[in-house]
Amino acid sequence: MSRNEQDTAAATRLTGSIVVVALVSAISGLLYGYDTGIISGALLQIGDDFGIGHVWEQVIAASILVGAVIGALTCSRLSERRGRHGTLLLIGIVFVAGSLAASLSPDPILLSLSRLVLGFAVGGATQTAPVYVAELAPTAYRGRLVLFFQIAIGVGIVIATIVGAAEVIDWRVAIGMAAAPAALMFVLMLRLPESPRWLAREGQLDKAEQALSRVRETGSDLSTELAEIRANVEEEQQASTRGWAGLKAAWVRPALVVGCGLAVFTQLSGIEMIVYYTPTILTDNGFSDSTALRVSVALGLTYLITQLIGLAIIDRVGRRRLTLVTLPFAALSLIVLGTFFVTGNDGKSMVPWIVATLVAFMAFTAGGIQLMGWLTGSEIYPLATRAAGAAAQSASLWGTNVLITLSLLSLMNAIGTGQTFYLYALFNIVAFGFLFRKMPELTGRSLEEIEDHLSRGRFAPADFR
């Protein structure tokens, strides 16, 4: 092996610092999954402690999502102006403060406000952590390291459902426990550098080289990687369509429609209904608390396992194909589930069938459309509008989540549990039609190819065959 080949190989190896970067991203993803998932089991205790009904339960569950919308939009701008590193340090502090404040809240009002603060960190993490990892990781490992965030969300949901199902941990302790990994995330961030790409964009080329050298093997030749970073920064700065204003451009609009439409339908699929409210829905329909909480654990494990399977096959099956194949089965699962409740077949003898249908729905949704919500935001938009596009997509996702969470239990009380499942089945059918017509197959296409299709006005599914 020549000297140049040795330098190139050294520059693309994983180092201890890169592993720490991926660990920080994983912790932020775990906190996202845990903090949003823990409310599922905790609501049963919170309702008893505070003596509140479904309206307050919806507000408490949704407050973290309102905060997430604010956090996603705010941290998008903050990370562009002040850097990824400083933004993640702030997010770590807010995670700790929000977790402790929520666990100590004396009434539902302060609990909701504390979870609003916690939501700021959740939304900010979804916006900033994957970008930070992508900008520091060697190209050969970038995809796998960024996906640590997605996998960690599932791990966080599983841990939250297990904690809830244990029924021996007070809800205050369960919520406050999240402060420990949040503090660890903050401490780990202290030893990491700023993003070299952000530093280069700010004209700090010497600091960019220093930052890159801290996450590459000692003695590596960084000239090629630094040249690529400079070229990308120059391309972004020279682009005529940039930032939030660039999203208004006619040629960018198809990407925005697909991205934000996909984000909305990931929530209208019904998965958040299942993640947040399964114990409440089941106990309201005669299930015991223990049974309902154990079902949540099964659903959390299904979420994690099918996400791992989906991530393993997505590049072979294709994003569009995987989504379109799984959506009809998700809709069918909800139709069957709704029929159980509409026809009165929701008693103890039907528990195995209801659980099996819930698991089937979770498998087809988590292993299908749920994989696309965060993935497409990093690849569908032109380079100069990518940060703004990802933020708009994230806000669309969280905003839809807020509306669902605030209205779901009231909707079930108004029209019935089974009818609500039918409604969400209809949303899945509409999602299939929308994505069939609008979403091209992006698998195997470089970011430059995708941008070229957009610029030429050829972004329909037929244009990518």
Side-chain angles (χ1 to χ4, degrees):
M1 183 183 293
S2 68
R3 176 63 180 174
N4 287 341
E5 290 173 330
Q6 289 175 348
D7 289 339
T8 301
T12 57
R13 292 192 192 112
L14 282 179
T15 62
S17 294
I18 284 295
V19 172
V20 174
V21 170
L23 181 59
V24 165
S25 177
I27 292 173
S28 67
L30 183 144
L31 287 167
Y32 163 15
Y34 184 86
D35 286 327
T36 55
I38 194 63
I39 201 65
S40 176
L43 276 178
L44 299 179
Q45 295 183 38
I46 292 170
D48 292 337
D49 280 5
F50 291 152
I52 56 176
H54 284 335
V55 173
W56 261 115
E57 289 177 353
Q58 289 175 159
V59 172
I60 291 169
S63 55
I64 196 171
L65 308 175
V66 175
V69 176
I70 299 169
L73 294 174
T74 303
C75 290
S76 168
R77 294 182 180 274
L78 192 62
S79 68
E80 290 295 300
R81 293 179 181 178
R82 300 296 182 184
R84 286 57 159 136
H85 185 265
T87 302
L88 283 170
L89 282 174
L90 172 64
I91 288 169
I93 293 171
V94 176
F95 263 129
V96 173
S99 299
L100 294 177
S103 69
L104 298 172
S105 297
D107 55 53
I109 296 175
L110 288 177
L111 177 57
S112 298
L113 291 174
S114 298
R115 282 178 59 79
L116 182 77
V117 173
L118 193 56
F120 180 93
V122 170
T126 62
Q127 187 62 39
T128 312
V131 172
Y132 182 65
V133 175
E135 292 183 348
L136 279 170
T139 301
Y141 295 95
R142 183 172 297 144
R144 279 168 283 181
L145 293 180
V146 170
L147 289 177
F148 273 17
F149 179 83
Q150 179 91 34
I151 295 168
I153 295 171
V155 174
I157 290 174
V158 170
I159 294 173
T161 57
I162 292 173
V163 169
E167 296 186 90
V168 295
I169 301 177
D170 183 78
W171 69 267
R172 295 182 183 278
V173 175
I175 290 176
M177 284 166 50
L184 175 61
M185 171 186 164
F186 177 83
V187 171
L188 291 175
M189 278 302 302
L190 291 175
R191 60 173 290 188
L192 294 175
E194 180 55 86
S195 159
R197 185 185 181 281
W198 183 84
L199 289 168
R201 200 188 67 178
E202 295 298 303
Q204 302 178 44
L205 296 178
D206 290 341
K207 289 185 177 180
E209 184 174 2
Q210 293 170 12
L212 193 61
S213 67
R214 288 177 59 185
V215 293
R216 298 292 183 265
E217 281 198 347
T218 304
S220 299
D221 182 3
L222 305 177
S223 58
T224 301
E225 193 168 0
L226 285 169
E228 290 177 353
I229 290 173
R230 284 196 295 269
N232 287 338
V233 168
E234 289 173 5
E235 182 181 346
E236 180 180 350
Q237 291 174 340
Q238 293 170 6
S240 57
T241 305
R242 298 176 60 190
W244 286 90
L247 294 178
K248 300 176 184 178
W251 69 278
V252 179
R253 199 172 301 138
L256 188 66
V257 169
V258 172
C260 291
L262 182 57
V264 168
F265 281 118
T266 61
Q267 305 309 293
L268 291 179
S269 67
I271 195 165
E272 304 305 344
M273 165 179 66
I274 301 301
V275 169
Y276 297 154
Y277 290 134
T278 289
T280 303
I281 294 168
L282 295 181
T283 53
D284 284 353
N285 285 276
F287 287 65
S288 69
D289 286 4
S290 297
T291 298
L293 291 169
R294 290 190 187 110
V295 171
S296 285
V297 175
L299 294 176
L301 288 169
T302 303
Y303 180 100
L304 177 59
I305 292 168
T306 52
Q307 284 253 303
L308 289 170
I309 293 172
L311 290 169
I313 67 174
I314 191 169
D315 284 327
R316 282 176 285 175
V317 176
R319 290 142 173 74
R320 172 183 162 87
R321 184 181 301 171
L322 183 62
T323 306
L324 294 181
V325 166
T326 52
L327 272 173
F329 290 102
L332 180 61
S333 299
L334 289 176
I335 291 171
V336 172
L337 195 59
T339 302
F340 286 144
F341 287 93
V342 168
T343 59
N345 291 301
D346 54 353
K348 290 185 178 180
S349 63
M350 296 300 292
V351 168
W353 295 102
I354 291 173
V355 173
T357 309
L358 282 167
V359 168
F361 166 77
M362 181 63 80
F364 287 119
T365 303
I369 193 171
Q370 290 302 310
L371 289 170
M372 311 305 161
W374 302 117
L375 179 60
T376 54
S378 65
E379 61 185 13
I380 199 171
Y381 301 103
L383 175 65
T385 63
R386 193 162 296 145
Q393 188 165 328
S394 181
S396 299
L397 186 149
W398 288 117
T400 308
N401 201 335
V402 171
L403 295 176
I404 291 170
T405 309
L406 277 174
S407 64
L408 183 70
L409 295 180
S410 298
L411 181 65
M412 284 186 167
N413 287 336
I415 68 174
T417 301
Q419 289 84 348
T420 302
F421 286 133
Y422 284 158
L423 178 61
Y424 278 86
L426 177 61
F427 289 151
N428 278 271
I429 294 169
V430 174
F432 179 91
F434 171 82
L435 296 172
F436 181 81
R437 292 187 59 195
K438 298 289 187 180
M439 182 181 177
E441 181 55 82
L442 303 179
T443 304
R445 304 284 182 172
S446 69
L447 299 180
E448 290 73 23
E449 284 183 272
I450 295 170
E451 184 166 345
D452 179 62
H453 274 272
L454 275 170
S455 65
R456 292 188 291 114
R458 299 183 60 82
F459 200 69
D463 297 325
F464 282 75
R465 290 174 183 167

